[in-house]
Amino acid sequence: MLSVIQRVASARVEVHGETIGAIEQGLLVLVCAQAGDNAETAQRFLHKLLRLRIFEDDAGKMNRSVQSLDGQGQCGGLLLVSQFTLAADTRSGTRPGFTGAAEPVMARAWFEDLVLQARAQHPIVASGRFATDMQVHLVNDGPVTIPMNL
């Protein structure tokens, strides 16, 4: 599983000019399923994601997670977006290869399971639409952008 996590002041995903998912402060998470990923992989990823301490505390140190942005239990949002291009292999030639990404049927099931698990464990979850041309708008906070691979 490949991902890029961006701490955001706000983010939204549009399809044909219609907003299909939006959050205020929180995390925009671009995710790519790989062959062998399953519900357990999604659960491990989500467990780590929800506890990842990349929000500043009162001293300005990255000590807070999306589950406790203000230190008093206020949660931030999660915007999950499937992005198979994270698996791009650019080692040879000038056209990336994507053989590292999971097959679309498996990737869709994995992504949908990840979104369901996230909604069961976190109060503010939005998502993009699998295998759809989307426009992602964000205000990166920091900027803080972190790759995370399991």
Side-chain angles (χ1 to χ4, degrees):
M1 199 253 7
L2 304 168
S3 68
V4 172
I5 301 161
Q6 297 181 77
R7 187 177 77 183
V8 299
S10 63
R12 73 180 189 279
V13 177
E14 294 179 356
V15 174
H16 304 298
E18 174 190 350
T19 299
I20 63 166
I23 61 168
E24 294 302 321
Q25 185 179 27
L27 299 174
L28 168 63
V29 186
L30 307 173
V31 294
C32 174
Q34 297 177 288
D37 287 346
N38 55 33
E40 182 182 320
T41 310
Q43 182 58 41
R44 280 194 342 251
F45 171 71
L46 186 58
H47 180 81
K48 188 165 192 158
L49 176 67
L50 292 174
R51 289 158 184 78
L52 191 63
R53 296 183 308 163
I54 61 172
F55 292 91
E56 293 178 356
D57 63 14
D58 295 333
K61 300 209 183 261
M62 288 189 194
N63 272 328
R64 294 199 174 129
S65 72
V66 72
Q67 291 185 313
S68 183
L69 288 181
D70 66 355
Q72 299 173 9
Q74 178 185 356
C75 292
L78 288 179
L79 177 54
L80 303 170
V81 178
S82 178
Q83 186 172 347
F84 82 94
T85 59
L86 292 177
D89 183 353
T90 58
R91 291 178 286 185
S92 66
T94 56
R95 182 173 186 217
F98 300 102
T99 58
E103 293 296 321
V105 170
M106 195 285 283
R108 178 186 300 271
W110 183 88
F111 180 71
E112 289 174 355
D113 183 60
L114 175 65
V115 172
L116 285 174
Q117 287 186 46
R119 287 183 174 145
Q121 296 179 44
H122 194 73
I124 306 166
V125 178
S127 70
R129 189 173 296 149
F130 188 87
T132 301
D133 184 30
M134 297 174 276
Q135 288 69 53
V136 179
H137 305 264
L138 70 138
V139 177
N140 194 317
D141 181 19
V144 175
T145 301
I146 297 174
M148 188 165 75
N149 304 320
L150 293 181

